[in-house]
Amino acid sequence: MIGILCALDIELRHLQERLTQAGTQRVMGFDVHVGNLEGQKVALVQCGVGKVNAALCCQTLLMRYEPTLIINSGVAGSLNRELEILDVAVARDVVQHDVDTTALGDPPGMVSTVNVTYFPCDPVVSQGILSVVASMPNLRGKAARIATGEQFVTSAQRKREIVDLFHADACDMEAGAIAQACYIAGVPCAVIRAISDATDDSHQMEYPAFAAKAADHAASVLTRYLSTL
């Protein structure tokens, strides 16, 4: 079984509409939709926004359904001018930009309980997803480092700070927690993030205009990838 987590309804609905032989189970406060998606048995769930929600939900899937792979699909803000709006970032690894125990001598972003800064995504799965993006007309993809934090990053200055510290390509609010949960459990994960807003301060206009379409792009990539397995 493959576990699929989305933070928002707009990220979930395209996938849920394509789910067949589906049933919904209420587990630890989450509605988990179990069924078939492009020939694969999946547990699909909306985790909610932020690292705590994402970690709780991912742990619930790991313990209840024992998936062999976790995929996080959704939208992100760009930190790299090579990632334009509606492009697709496929994570090679994920960092939590808001973790800061530097006063204790740790490097920025290091999660001290596991002593990891950059949580890896499965390279085989990630490359497979990138290959799918390359096969889709009018869609561009890039291997990326995703930076996660408990904040919707709004300012160009803060985005530059994250880039300077972590050399990240995109930012979101969930992937780092999901990758950490999978790392601890020893379960491979992958992250697909379509870009909903760019590197400057124009997010207030861009996110409402492009978030739904970006979410559909991410979901389309995910379903196409599942069909290749």
Side-chain angles (χ1 to χ4, degrees), residues 44-207:
L44 172 65
V45 61
Q46 182 179 343
C47 65
V49 174
K51 288 165 56 179
V52 175
N53 285 327
L56 287 169
C57 187
C58 187
Q59 186 70 9
T60 297
L61 288 187
L62 289 166
M63 295 184 71
R64 177 67 176 267
Y65 299 97
E66 299 183 346
T68 57
L69 171 67
I70 292 282
I71 302 177
N72 176 216
S73 175
V75 303
S78 178
L79 300 174
N80 184 332
R81 294 189 184 279
E82 293 181 8
L83 278 171
E84 299 178 353
I85 290 176
L86 302 183
D87 287 348
V88 177
V90 181
R92 63 178 183 274
D93 59 19
V94 189
V95 63
Q96 297 180 46
H97 67 77
D98 60 344
V99 173
D100 185 357
T101 54
T102 54
L104 303 177
D106 297 330
M110 191 186 83
V111 179
S112 58
T113 51
V114 288
N115 295 328
V116 173
T117 302
Y118 301 104
F119 290 91
C121 294
D122 187 270
V124 174
V125 175
S126 297
Q127 185 55 54
I129 295 169
L130 281 169
S131 297
V132 164
V133 176
S135 73
M136 299 175 72
N138 304 316
L139 199 59
R140 299 195 313 164
K142 178 180 172 59
R145 172 168 290 161
I146 308 295
T148 297
E150 289 281 20
Q151 55 187 199
F152 187 86
V153 179
T154 58
S155 74
Q157 178 182 348
R158 178 57 185 154
K159 289 186 175 186
R160 285 193 297 270
E161 291 171 353
I162 294 169
V163 172
D164 290 343
L165 283 171
F166 304 111
H167 306 288
D169 301 290
C171 56
D172 79 336
M173 297 181 66
E174 296 83 29
I178 293 167
Q180 180 180 340
C182 290
Y183 177 87
I184 292 171
V187 174
C189 74
V191 179
I192 304 168
R193 291 287 184 178
I195 299 302
S196 58
D197 52 285
T199 57
D200 57 21
D201 288 306
S202 55
H203 66 280
Q204 292 97 335
M205 295 178 291
E206 292 170 346
Y207 181 83

